[in-house]
Amino acid sequence: MQCETTKIDELIVEQQQLIELLKEKRQAVISHAVTKGLNPDVPMKDSDIEWLGNVPAHWEITLLKYILAYRIGTG
């Protein structure tokens, strides 16, 4: 009986490790889609933001304060 319990415990640990790997993969896919877009063939350009890296060339880089000022009508 203990041998079967040990096997079940080992399977549970393996499944938990797989779940963690899948969570990491999911986060990587989301991050890639957000920063690189969905089309892998699109030309890229430097974002001039160290932590962001390259972004699709057709993206416009604008400071958030300008977008907010335009939205609320103060800019």
Side-chain angles (χ1 to χ4, degrees), residues 48-74:
D48 294 326
I49 301 170
E50 183 179 333
W51 58 267
L52 187 55
N54 291 338
V55 296
H58 66 276
W59 283 13
E60 183 179 329
I61 306 219
T62 305
L63 293 177
L64 183 59
K65 68 179 182 178
Y66 296 131
I67 295 170
L68 294 175
Y70 175 78
R71 291 281 186 183
I72 60 174
T74 61

Side-chain angles (χ1 to χ4, degrees), residues 4 6 9-10 21-22 31 37-38 42 53-54 65 67 69 74:
E4 293 172 1
T6 303
D9 288 342
E10 290 171 357
L21 288 173
L22 288 171
S31 178
L38 297 176
V42 72
N54 291 338
K65 68 179 182 178
I67 295 170
T74 61

Side-chain angles (χ1 to χ4, degrees), residues 11-59:
L11 287 172
I12 289 172
V13 168
E14 286 179 22
Q15 289 297 311
Q16 289 172 335
Q17 291 172 340
L18 180 59
I19 289 170
E20 288 304 313
L21 288 173
L22 288 171
K23 285 179 181 179
E24 290 176 21
K25 175 69 174 173
R26 177 178 176 255
Q27 186 60 43
V29 168
I30 291 170
S31 178
H32 184 270
V34 168
T35 59
K36 308 282 188 232
L38 297 176
N39 183 354
D41 299 324
V42 72
M44 303 297 279
K45 69 177 180 181
D46 188 16
S47 68
D48 294 326
I49 301 170
E50 183 179 333
W51 58 267
L52 187 55
N54 291 338
V55 296
H58 66 276
W59 283 13

